[in-house]
Amino acid sequence: MTLFYGTELSSRLMLGTAQYPSPEILADAVRHAQAGVVTVSLRRESAGQRAGQAFWNLIRDLGVPVLPNTAGCHSVREAVTTAQMAREVFGTDWIKLEVIGESDTLQPDMFALVEAARLLTEDGFKVFPYMTEDLVGAERLLRAGCEVLMPWGAPIGSGKGLNNLFGLRALRAHFPGVPLVVDAGIGVPSHAAQAMELGYDAVLINTAVAKAGNPVEMARAFAMAVEAGRMAYVADPMEARDMAAPSTPTIGQAVLA
């Protein structure tokens, strides 16, 4: 199993916790997905009313490692401040770093992302940056102290799958020793299997499970797809070819006159 900042996860499936129909369905989905990590967005609580406390208790009771994120942040300062608050709330130095630069696609701002990653790693955080499939940006993030990269498959919540196979393959080839996680855009289990077949180390999924007609069954489907995709990658799949190749050879067969 791949190590993420020295930690071995129980599964290569990371699951988001937003938009589920109910807390009970969320809990069942996490269990059936056998998720190795759950991601959570920080919500600012009222000190008096303790809004959101029941949600935190639910997440803790699941017994799954938590990866807080800076979802919705659009600047370095906002992302760094949110990360620092998340560390206090969740008691972890892991942070999924999101700095959004474009509103329609929710594309990451790679310039701000690198700067925020640098500041957070200097502050002791273990940063999981949500990024585009950009080789130069990836190199800058690694120099900033990141040990994991999380390129998008497609825009968040779009369900389009892996839009840039060339870019994702290039990232895997250029950084063979770096843990890579496809994050965002995955819509169906076959997309997750495809990411794993490319040699990625994990996938992070939220909307495709939470918004399914049956989130629990979809979580199970993704769990199986991730496992199947990884097994296929390890098994070294055959290469595609343009011409047919008979599976049954003609040599040695009887010739009927």
Side-chain angles (χ1 to χ4, degrees):
M1 179 67 77
T2 302
L3 297 180
F4 295 86
Y5 288 103
T7 298
E8 182 176 323
L9 303 179
S10 62
S11 166
R12 296 178 184 274
L13 176 57
M14 301 179 177
L15 195 63
T17 57
Q19 306 184 69
Y20 287 82
S22 72
E24 292 76 16
I25 291 176
L26 164 60
D28 283 346
V30 171
R31 295 188 187 101
H32 282 78
Q34 299 178 3
V37 163
V38 293
T39 63
V40 294
S41 299
L42 183 69
R43 295 290 184 267
R44 293 170 175 79
E45 298 186 41
S46 165
Q49 297 179 351
R50 303 290 293 171
Q53 189 63 40
F55 175 75
W56 305 146
N57 290 337
L58 170 65
I59 296 299
R60 293 188 187 99
D61 289 345
L62 291 171
V64 180
V66 173
L67 176 62
N69 66 43
T70 63
C73 292
H74 290 77
S75 70
V76 173
R77 180 178 180 182
E78 186 180 13
V80 169
T81 300
T82 301
Q84 291 168 338
M85 294 172 63
R87 180 166 59 183
E88 293 299 318
V89 171
F90 295 105
T92 178
D93 55 8
W94 282 23
I95 191 72
K96 181 193 168 191
L97 180 61
E98 297 183 26
V99 187
I100 301 302
E102 203 279 322
S103 297
D104 289 334
T105 62
L106 301 180
Q107 179 171 318
D109 181 338
M110 293 299 293
F111 302 98
L113 186 67
V114 171
E115 177 62 12
R118 182 186 66 81
L119 293 172
L120 289 172
T121 54
E122 290 177 354
D123 192 24
F125 282 90
K126 295 177 174 63
V127 178
F128 293 68
Y130 165 62
M131 56 176 288
T132 59
E133 66 285 15
D134 184 301
L135 292 176
V136 177
E139 184 62 45
R140 298 290 175 84
L141 286 166
L142 294 174
R143 290 180 189 174
C146 298
E147 297 181 15
V148 177
L149 299 174
M150 302 183 76
W152 66 350
I156 294 172
S158 68
K160 289 183 173 294
L162 309 185
N163 273 356
N164 185 355
L165 287 174
F166 172 81
L168 292 172
R169 286 195 182 102
L171 273 176
R172 181 71 286 173
H174 278 73
F175 305 104
V178 176
L180 299 179
V181 182
V182 171
D183 174 22
I186 289 178
V188 291
S190 59
H191 296 157
Q194 185 180 29
M196 301 305 295
E197 289 168 3
L198 292 178
Y200 276 70
D201 299 289
V203 295
L204 198 163
I205 302 159
N206 190 161
T207 309
V209 173
K211 291 298 187 180
N214 187 329
V216 176
E217 285 301 297
M218 187 61 76
R220 291 181 65 241
F222 270 108
M224 290 186 283
V226 168
E227 183 176 355
R230 179 64 185 183
M231 291 175 66
Y233 172 73
V234 172
D236 191 15
M238 63 174 286
E239 294 185 5
R241 52 182 292 159
D242 293 328
M243 299 296 292
S247 57
T248 302
T250 58
I251 297 176
Q253 289 185 336
V255 177
L256 302 178

